[in-house]
Amino acid sequence: MRKGIHPENYRLVAFKDMSNDDVFLTKSTASTNETLDVDGVEYPLVKMEISRTSHPFYTGKSKLVDTAGRIDKFKTKYAKFKK
């Protein structure tokens, strides 16, 4: 491998899903000023809105939000084109 092309600050970082407080460790070069204590060891902390533990694709749970009957409105509007 060529020398001098890889980042110097490649280290273990704690990523925290803010929607369900799940924390996982992985190597990263992400810069942050916050830290988190995991099992007695302090790691740099990166906060995330969504991760594999809260994303509907991975959890299999999806939310259907029907605001003001949009689905019913759509069905009645296009019902006339049904044969």
Side-chain angles (χ1 to χ4, degrees):
M1 284 202 279
R2 292 184 5 198
K3 298 197 183 285
I5 62 170
H6 299 288
E8 297 294 325
N9 63 341
Y10 197 63
R11 75 246 186 255
L12 279 174
V13 175
F15 285 85
K16 183 175 182 179
D17 186 338
M18 299 308 289
S19 64
N20 63 2
D21 292 330
D22 182 48
V23 176
F24 61 94
L25 298 174
T26 188
K27 289 189 173 184
S28 176
T29 60
S31 60
T32 181
N33 295 329
E34 298 180 82
T35 60
L36 180 69
D37 187 56
V38 178
D39 298 328
V41 180
E42 196 169 288
Y43 296 102
L45 173 65
V46 175
K47 295 179 180 178
M48 303 175 2
E49 296 286 327
I50 195 164
S51 72
R52 69 184 189 281
T53 59
S54 62
H55 193 281
F57 179 80
Y58 298 108
T59 61
K61 300 175 187 171
S62 63
K63 295 180 184 175
L64 176 63
V65 179
D66 184 17
T67 310
R70 290 183 184 173
I71 294 172
D72 293 330
K73 222 189 285 187
F74 177 83
K75 286 181 180 178
T76 56
K77 182 178 180 180
Y78 290 100
K80 60 184 172 189
F81 296 112
K82 234 179 179 181
K83 290 187 178 185

